[in-house]
Amino acid sequence: MLRTEQLSIQNHPEYDGHEQVLYFEDTQTKLRAIIAVHNTFCGPALGGCRFYPYKNRDEALTDVLRLSKGMTYKSALAGLPLGGGKSVIIGNPLTDKTEDLFRSFGKAIQSLKGSYVTAEDVGTAEHDMDTIFSETPHVAGLTPRQNSSNADQVTGNPSPITAYGTFCGLRACLRQRFGDDRFAGRHFLIQGLGAVGSALASYLIQEGAIVIACDKNKNSLDAIKKQYDEKINIVDTDHLMKLKADVFVPCAMGGVINDETLATLNVSVVAGAANNQLAEPSHDQALFDKKILYAPDYVVNSGGVTSVGYEYFSRQNINPYSYPLTKASMMAHVARIEQTLDQVFALSHKKNIATGQAANQIAESIFRPSVSRHQRTAS
Ligand code: NAD
């Protein structure tokens, strides 16, 4: 039996006006999950479901509060009619996943009546979303066969879309820092050649960029070497961030910009797809002070959420735009990351503030306008 508990989080250090935070437990299926809805001003709160062996409920709560807030900022700046939310399931994804557990989780999502929409994240995959879909329509990132023919046009693995959005974002960065958006002959350090990093490397190599990359996984390295051989330079993971280059492109894990790495970082731009690149919020200012142009990660990597959002709209037969929801219109939407970054850089320049701060201010003006939606509807 599914038990729901409203969590009181007003005094939690990560509390940021979250609209709803619910804990779900089902002793039969062993589900222990938290769903956090941060903000629904722009639309339903979309954000992935992380399956992770948290030490306890408090650790899971801290993570879900932080991650759900991040999704509000990401969707707002991506120009999506979506809010921010996230969910976490406490457990080991290698041993604790069962169909019953995901069905139970699907019921939990359904109880929120569409205010939260889930998708894949660390520890969950397309087939888990398919199971959730058997209990609720408020899920995206399904395997293509589960979708309607309309949704087929805008579904599939979001990683190549994230890579494309990052590539578009890099163009804005080059223009801002060097005065032109030429890739050819410029040096890019890619950290992580997984799903996003390897697709991004392809874009850069095709444009004639000099790509130096690393990955701690031999399979990832072998795959890219097979494809590009002498067109890509592979270096040691410990060595990459010490090299002099034009752009550092983080596409692996978070926290890579920290006190230690900043001391030796020798690039003009930091722009990549990895989530939570800054170890501390203060590293935004630290990059600004060092005159390294930082493209805020959640702006650059929003191609994935745009792809998942389009899939959700298609399947729900909702079209918030004045054009058809197709793969082409979705890619054109993702390409607007370039213009969004132009705006972020312009505000940063105008106010002499760090770029992360500028991005946050723009996002907050979108999802926290001075007049609430309730007041606007009433007037
Ligand atoms: P992935 O797991 O496919 O690839 C990550 C790669 O980084 C792996 O090959 C791994 O071996 C490598 N790696 C890990 N630690 C490393 C280290 N210390 N040094 C060098 N390489 C290291 O993941 P992905 O889907 O390509 O995502 C990459 C990043 O982008 C992640 O931070 C992810 O959260 C973020 N992101 C991805 C998407 C998406 O659509 N996939 C969307 C938004 C954000």
Side-chain angles (χ1 to χ4, degrees):
M1 170 106 165
L2 187 64
R3 184 177 74 80
T4 311
E5 181 185 333
Q6 182 104 31
L7 296 182
S8 160
I9 39 133
Q10 275 75 4
N11 296 323
H12 195 285
E14 295 292 337
Y15 174 66
D16 179 65
H18 290 71
E19 292 177 11
Q20 211 176 11
V21 182
L22 296 169
Y23 175 71
F24 295 91
E25 191 170 287
D26 188 332
T27 46
Q28 261 170 353
T29 66
K30 299 199 171 58
L31 174 77
R32 287 192 303 148
I34 306 175
I35 298 179
V37 173
H38 175 252
N39 189 292
T40 55
F41 183 87
C42 296
L46 187 145
C49 168
R50 185 164 288 195
F51 204 120
Y52 191 78
Y54 294 103
K55 279 193 230 99
N56 50 45
R57 199 168 94 170
D58 279 351
E59 194 183 63
L61 178 63
T62 300
D63 208 25
V64 79
L65 291 177
R66 195 174 49 79
L67 292 166
S68 57
K69 176 181 171 187
M71 288 309 297
T72 303
Y73 283 76
K74 188 182 289 205
S75 286
L77 268 190
L80 292 164
L82 292 169
K86 203 87 181 182
S87 55
V88 290
I89 298 181
I90 304 169
N92 184 340
L94 299 176
T95 52
D96 297 342
K97 282 187 185 182
T98 62
E99 185 171 336
D100 284 350
L101 182 144
F102 278 111
R103 276 184 170 271
S104 186
F105 184 58
K107 289 185 182 122
I109 293 170
Q110 182 59 17
S111 73
L112 273 81
K113 301 190 177 82
S115 63
Y116 171 67
V117 180
T118 201
E120 297 97 316
D121 195 75
V122 176
T124 54
E126 285 177 338
H127 57 269
D128 302 324
M129 300 304 119
D130 297 345
T131 310
I132 293 171
F133 184 58
S134 59
E135 297 291 341
T136 179
H138 304 299
V139 52
L142 312 185
T143 52
R145 69 189 148 76
Q146 291 268 346
N147 297 329
S148 73
S149 56
N150 187 22
D152 277 346
Q153 296 176 61
V154 286
T155 191
N157 176 6
S159 304
I161 319 290
T162 304
Y164 175 65
T166 307
F167 174 66
C168 297
L170 280 168
R171 221 184 273 127
C173 296
L174 295 181
R175 214 170 32 243
Q176 177 70 19
R177 183 42 36 109
F178 303 114
D180 68 73
D181 59 9
R182 177 178 50 83
F183 285 87
R186 293 210 160 107
H187 291 70
F188 293 77
L189 306 177
I190 305 184
Q191 185 183 51
L193 291 165
V196 178
S198 59
L200 181 59
S202 296
Y203 281 114
L204 297 179
I205 289 168
Q206 274 160 29
E207 290 289 325
I210 298 157
V211 176
I212 303 140
C214 74
D215 198 294
K216 63 176 196 180
N217 181 330
K218 190 176 171 307
N219 292 343
S220 301
L221 291 178
D222 288 348
I224 199 105
K225 269 290 195 193
K226 201 167 160 196
Q227 201 178 354
Y228 290 110
D229 200 17
E230 79 284 355
K231 290 191 179 147
I232 189 160
N233 308 283
I234 302 297
V235 297
D236 234 37
T237 48
D238 296 338
H239 194 50
L240 185 91
M241 285 186 79
K242 295 179 183 141
L243 297 174
K244 181 172 165 44
D246 295 303
V247 188
F248 171 54
V249 189
C251 289
M253 69 296 179
V256 285
I257 303 296
N258 53 48
D259 290 343
E260 201 186 325
T261 56
L262 264 172
T264 53
L265 196 63
N266 195 359
V267 296
S268 303
V269 177
V270 172
N275 275 313
N276 306 321
Q277 290 165 26
L278 308 180
E280 301 288 337
S282 62
H283 292 124
D284 179 31
Q285 186 64 39
L287 284 165
F288 189 67
D289 293 342
K290 281 186 76 126
K291 305 213 176 331
I292 297 174
L293 181 71
Y294 168 59
D297 47 15
Y298 69 82
V299 183
V300 176
N301 70 19
S302 66
V305 74
T306 301
S307 148
V308 168
Y310 269 56
E311 178 198 322
Y312 180 67
F313 299 142
S314 294
R315 201 160 6 82
Q316 293 282 308
N317 282 322
I318 304 167
N319 187 347
Y321 304 110
S322 57
Y323 49 79
L325 298 179
T326 61
K327 177 108 187 194
S329 63
M330 188 259 286
M331 293 302 265
H333 188 140
V334 171
R336 291 200 286 276
I337 289 174
E338 185 177 343
Q339 283 78 43
T340 306
L341 277 178
D342 286 342
Q343 281 176 34
V344 169
F345 296 150
L347 185 68
S348 158
H349 181 72
K350 185 175 157 204
K351 291 195 170 178
N352 195 29
I353 55 174
T355 51
Q357 207 189 330
N360 289 349
Q361 287 186 8
I362 299 174
E364 284 160 12
S365 73
I366 296 168
F367 72 83
R368 268 185 198 145
S370 48
V371 180
S372 78
R373 180 165 51 180
H374 175 71
Q375 285 168 306
R376 286 199 309 186
T377 319
S379 64

